[in-house]
Amino acid sequence: MESTFFDGNTYFIDEKVNMFKFENAYRLYDGEGKQLGNINQKLTGGQKALRLLLNKKMLPFLLEIRDEQGQLQATISRGWTFFMSKIVIADATGTPVGQIKQKFTLLKPAFNIMDMAGISLGYIKGDFVAWDFKITDAKNQPIGVVNKKWAGALKELFTTADKYHVHISGALEDKRTRIAIISAAVTIDMVLKESK
């Protein structure tokens, strides 16, 4: 039976901050606030050591999207990068289903969503402060949005945790693009928000 994990239209992604762990971790909720699963970064001992020495924006990463029962739904990975990031998204079987490539822009962040053959599935375009992202398909029709949601000014002052609201058009049926849109919020956090 095929998973329905990516069939929803509204998701919330809440970064979990743990000062004693090196891995990034997120909770994934549906539109009603029910937790669907977790997104956790997997690091080797060597990678943890490198995070102390090098800019995290350069380092490879692997994140696993798992449902509440612990079943793998997808992975998000990137190799070493020195300029523009290329993220590979794989399904639960480990088969690559798409990629998100960071585009060079001077002011507003942008990414291309492509299949593994390099054919465009869509575009992600951010605003000047990288808090709101519009996602369009290859024909420039809107298919989703990713917004950084604030939990209140005071809470934001005392935590580095980011919160993202992801909305996917109900008309979008392509599972690869749906997985890519949900992965986009974590990609934005890992590529644009990571500090040294």
Side-chain angles (χ1 to χ4, degrees):
M1 182 174 137
E2 189 173 320
S3 170
T4 59
F5 190 83
F6 298 104
D7 290 350
N9 296 326
T10 302
Y11 296 86
F12 291 95
I13 298 173
D14 184 17
E15 182 181 21
K16 297 188 288 184
V17 175
N18 186 336
M19 294 171 45
F20 304 107
K21 284 195 169 186
F22 289 91
E23 296 98 348
N24 289 34
Y26 308 83
R27 291 186 185 103
L28 184 65
Y29 300 90
D30 67 12
E32 281 76 48
K34 177 186 172 194
Q35 186 167 350
L36 297 173
N38 295 287
I39 304 170
N40 292 303
Q41 185 175 13
K42 299 299 176 186
L43 290 174
T44 65
Q47 288 172 323
K48 289 177 184 177
L50 284 174
R51 285 172 69 99
L52 298 172
L53 303 170
L54 299 174
N55 185 331
K56 290 188 278 186
K57 288 184 179 183
M58 297 172 25
L59 298 176
F61 62 72
L62 170 66
L63 295 116
E64 294 179 341
I65 302 175
R66 292 185 178 271
D67 64 19
E68 278 291 87
Q69 290 72 45
Q71 296 297 310
L72 184 67
Q73 300 297 315
T75 60
I76 306 165
S77 63
R78 180 188 73 188
W80 285 92
T81 187
F82 298 99
F83 189 49
M84 296 286 105
S85 289
K86 175 183 156 187
I87 290 85
V88 175
I89 302 156
D91 65 16
T93 67
T95 304
V97 295
Q99 49 191 330
I100 299 174
K101 287 189 175 181
Q102 186 178 11
K103 292 174 63 175
F104 175 74
T105 58
L106 292 176
L107 298 175
K108 297 180 180 180
F111 300 85
N112 286 324
I113 304 172
M114 293 177 280
D115 67 14
M116 294 311 295
I119 296 171
S120 177
L121 299 174
Y123 307 96
I124 304 167
K125 297 174 186 169
D127 63 6
F128 182 71
V129 291
W131 287 348
D132 296 302
F133 292 81
K134 293 180 181 174
I135 304 170
T136 56
D137 64 15
K139 296 177 182 173
N140 208 31
Q141 297 301 307
I143 55 173
V145 294
V146 174
N147 305 107
K148 183 176 177 192
K149 286 291 185 184
W150 293 85
L154 288 178
K155 186 170 183 181
E156 291 296 330
L157 289 175
F158 297 106
T159 180
T160 59
D162 288 317
K163 297 165 185 0
Y164 296 93
H165 166 242
V166 179
H167 180 75
I168 304 170
S169 167
L172 180 63
E173 295 180 1
D174 183 58
K175 184 80 79 171
R176 299 169 306 168
T177 307
R178 285 183 155 271
I179 296 171
I181 290 172
I182 294 167
S183 300
V186 178
T187 297
I188 288 163
D189 192 69
M190 294 292 290
V191 172
L192 300 178
K193 306 292 184 184
E194 281 281 63
S195 59
K196 291 184 181 181

